[in-house]
Amino acid sequence: MISLWVLVGTAVGYLGVLFLIAWAADNGLIPRWVIRHPITYTLSLGVYATSWTYYGSVGFARSEGIGFLTIYLGLTLAFAATPFLLQPILRLVREYQLSSLADLLAFRFRGRVTGALVTGLMLIGLIPYLSLQVRAITQSTNLLVADTESDLMAIAFCATLVVFTVLFGARHLTPRERHAGLVAAIAFESAVKLIALLSVGAFAWFGVFGGGQLGEWLAANPEALASLYEPVAESSWTSLMVLSFCAAFLLPRQFHMMFTENDNPRSLHIASFAFPLYLLLLNLPIIPILWAGQHLVPGTPADMYVLAITRHAQGDWLTVLAFVGGISAASAMIIVTTLSLSAMCMTHWFLPAGLRRANLRLDLHRSILWGRRCLIALIMLLTYGFYRIIELNAGLAQMGLISFVAVAQFLPGVLALLFWSRATQEGFLLGLAGGAAVWFGTLILPLVTHIDLLDQPLLVQQLIGGGQTVWSDATFWSLTVNGTLLVIGSLLTRPTLPEIEAAEICVSNMERPLTGTVAALSPDQFERQLSNVMGRKAARREVETAMSELQLNAKTITPTQLRQLRERIERNLSGLLGPVLARLIVDDRLLLKQRTHEALSDSMRFMEGHLEQSRTQLRGAMRQLDDLRRYHRDVLRELPIGVCSLDGQGTIVIWNSAMKQITGIEAVLAEGRIPATLPAPWNTVLTGFVAGTDTQRSERLSGDADTHRSINLHKSSIETSMDAPQARNGLVILVEDRTAVETLEAELAHSERLASIGRFAAGVAHEIGNPLTGIDSIAQNLAYEDSRSAIEQASEDIVTQTRRIGAIVKSLLAFSRGDPLAPLDRQTFELQACIDEACALVALDERARTRHVQVSCPRGLELTGDPQKIMQVIVNLLSNACDASDPGDEIRIDVRQHGNHALISVVDQGCGIDPAHTKRLFEPFFTTKHANRGTGLGLPLVHAIVNEHGGKVSVQSTRGAGTTFRVTLPMPHTQLTRLHAS
């Protein structure tokens, strides 16, 4: 015989083990991977199995037969719908930090009334269920120890659970901070329940019936087997499955462990099949225990068969284990339910009323934490009071079903939340009130008035006709009234703008785009504005936490990042204060500018991120549209030319990868900002180009001492139709980096210049040879000259010849020298002198000396440009003319004024050019000369230089009759004036 002190010691010792496990998990003594493992998560969902499951399932099986399994079949269906039901809820809870079902419904159906009404109904519906757990513990104690002081046991049990819940369940305030100790302890309790129940079942099978003797007992007692099947035809399978379906995710304890304490979304997928398997194992011993109880202790209530049959086992260890399993089932449910209910009451009842009168010098976080702890104790006090006042004559399972019917009233609202965007707050509240009224009138009112109507027809049943049980009718009619009123109320009212935004998030699985620009300019302003409501300490903590989570730097924060910071603060406050109060505080304190200043770039990035995450959910035409979107996005992103798009307010929306390479500025640092805030020199370049009237511009950017860059800019305006629902104007800027191209062109020009020098080398030797011979002869004769005048004359002749050589060398050096990357050295020069110098250079070529070059150029005609590059043009055209001509032919260079331009014509009498080749003359590396006679770069270089000077070059040729190249260059305004005057 077990004494009371053994039971008390066992209970205290077991709860002490729970304390130890929770403490070890919170302090890191249990590896984190163990706590985050999907098996641990699955076991923590075992909080679903309460005293009803542990004790009451046997009694329910006796009255309902195998119909008791429907309670778990409904749950299995709920978990089978994980991708469509549970996973979307988990997404909303995690992304928007919603800590309870009341938060979830208040997030969708905006308004304080929503959360307050949900909390009230949940509290009223679950107090009887909490009292049921206390009753199960006292009944089990009374069964094992006669004349036990039940009240003392109940008080001690409740007080111990309050301490545990406060220490390990009410330590953190927001869903982003998981309770590792609580999860570990609840998972351990679930394992204990399973081991205990399987052990009792094994005893019933082998210890009571000896394994093979069960068949003989059933043959001798056929009514035992018949009682399993007879109630099936009379019971309401549908109602039971609906209730267990709802309880699977709507009960506060299930919602808390399944969603709020979820540390790894992947664990829910594993639990979708692992948890129903756990419940199957938990129910395998129920029928053997039922038959063993009917065989051994037929006079004992079936709810207590689990404990009663163990008293016939050898030794007390099985009885103690079964008792511990019962404590585990009751304590786990009470701990998690009171924790969840306290958070709901604090968030939706006390905070909205108390925050207005809060002392801003207090620590808001600490005040909320202690408020939740006091509420935990208050809820436990209400539980004990209900246990003392109400005489519960119904079975454990029947009492559990009353709470299940209450929780089922939230099913229409949750289904509307996930699948019907037209639902409104008014419709939800009307439906919930109607369903709750039916539930209260049919189930709670008879209970509190001490009228035992659970097995008798109710007035409502008599009026409407009904099924076999009160709770079955209550289930059907409460949900029918609830759903009907929700639909009617929603169709008769119009959703508000916040409800429309929330519906898009919930139904369409789309995050709310970040629109608008924050009025505050820094995180410090955020902190000051929030401190007026929350107090300085709490405001600083929230801002610093959000900054840390987003990895932002207060010194370099951008307007886009400030908008993201505002959104993060709202979500964090949602976990602390609830979604409604968080939204009110953020909208009131962290103001946004007018909606005309929409941050289009933020919206685009949010949509891009959402489409990337939800790609697997797109089907059919939507999938094809998304493929097309991705294709165009990738084309735009990988274009070799820089693309910068501005919205109507001048904010950068698109900044592709080429812009990043050209400017060195990351897209995340550019998008969402105005060009003036970019690093130099791009702030002035882009701002000046946007403000200007020209659609094309070339800019040369100075870098280090020896580097510079050349870019071309193009822009085009975007004007959407005014009939569009969201018309937006903007600007697209294309940025082309021509540094490499111009470098190549300059290097090719230099190469062509060196090639020309190579052709002139023989002529240089000839030209220099004659003066050198003269100098040598004069120097030899100096030794024989006696007169001073002769010596002076010889010296003058030497100087003259030396200057002649120097002029030749200087001309060559000037022609070959030049920085390939340098800009045009614009200056005003006389064209005649440039042509004469070019002719002198070409004359160094031996072939050119056999041609007769005639120059006709007005004296005093001036151009503005780079004389070295213009000389390169003349040299190239004159060299080509010499190559095409025969010895003795005449080559003319004619210069005349043609309007506002100077027209330079180079005419030869050579072989001419094939008409098929005329169009390709200015292509790089194309040449009509024989091999090793031309590079194919001369004419392309002429074309590039003339274009650079704003001129044009053309060619006219007749096969066998010569060729004429015409170069048109603009003349300076002063030159034109002087010529007109003359």
Side-chain angles (χ1 to χ4, degrees), residues 630-642:
R630 289 168 180 269
Y631 174 76
H632 287 298
R633 178 202 61 187
D634 293 340
V635 168
L636 181 63
R637 181 181 296 170
E638 301 304 327
L639 276 177
I641 189 170

Side-chain angles (χ1 to χ4, degrees), residues 3-16 153 320 323-324 327:
S3 67
L4 176 61
W5 294 109
V6 171
L7 295 181
V8 173
T10 300
V12 172
Y14 174 73
L15 294 177
M153 187 69 178
V320 172
F323 179 73
V324 168
I327 292 178

Side-chain angles (χ1 to χ4, degrees), residues 48 98 201 332 624 660 684 802 861-863 865 902 919:
Y48 178 84
L98 309 174
Q624 295 176 5
K660 172 188 171 182
T684 56
T802 303
L861 192 150
E862 296 179 342
L863 296 178
K919 295 181 179 180

